[in-house]
Amino acid sequence: MLKQLVQLFAEKFLVSKKSWLYQNSIALKNDPITVFSGSTGISERSYTAPSNGMALVSFRKASAEDISCFVDVNGIRRQQLQNLKQGWEADTTVYLSKGDLLHVATGGSNPEISKLMFYPTP
């Protein structure tokens, strides 16, 4: 009896959350969109998501000074990587909905956003 009650609750809950689950889950079956890749030497970049999906941001640090890396979506800080050391690379991902404005930036000298990829949902 309890098992059936839990199963019924789970089914009803999932049906009521169907659109939320779709928007907040991702299957990486589509080819990614390369916004940029390689040694760009930039410390700030913005990107508007063309559809629902996931953004992958890679940071690289060449100089000795520690840096921090920031990822904002629609003006709200979502990720912050502290004290990236010389020679280190760091990747971070963030889920985006269609039209979301992604803003990535770094602080410190000689930081680099080395890659920005977008994986659209199927």
Side-chain angles (χ1 to χ4, degrees):
M1 175 73 171
L2 180 60
K3 183 178 177 181
Q4 292 170 335
L5 193 58
V6 169
Q7 183 178 1
L8 178 64
F9 173 76
E11 288 173 5
K12 293 296 181 185
F13 177 78
L14 291 176
V15 167
S16 69
K17 299 294 183 188
K18 186 177 179 181
S19 64
W20 183 90
L21 285 171
Y22 175 77
Q23 290 177 349
N24 291 285
S25 61
I26 189 165
L28 300 177
K29 295 180 180 177
N30 292 342
D31 290 332
I33 298 168
T34 302
V35 180
F36 65 86
S37 182
S39 183
T40 61
I42 62 173
S43 60
E44 190 170 354
R45 182 74 181 236
S46 293
Y47 177 71
T48 301
S51 65
N52 293 342
M54 182 182 74
L56 167 70
V57 184
S58 296
F59 299 96
R60 183 179 302 144
K61 181 66 170 92
S63 67
E65 179 187 346
D66 293 352
I67 64 166
S68 297
C69 309
F70 309 98
V71 178
D72 299 344
V73 177
N74 296 328
I76 299 171
R77 175 90 15 103
R78 293 284 182 92
Q79 302 274 343
Q80 183 168 339
L81 307 171
Q82 296 285 350
N83 301 324
L84 191 61
K85 306 290 184 192
Q86 181 177 6
W88 285 14
E89 290 191 30
D91 294 335
T92 188
T93 57
V94 63
Y95 294 104
L96 301 173
S97 295
K98 183 178 181 177
D100 280 352
L101 178 62
L102 173 71
H103 181 82
V104 293
T106 59
S109 62
N110 299 320
E112 189 173 282
I113 302 166
S114 57
K115 180 172 48 176
L116 176 55
M117 308 281 284
F118 181 75
Y119 295 84
T121 54

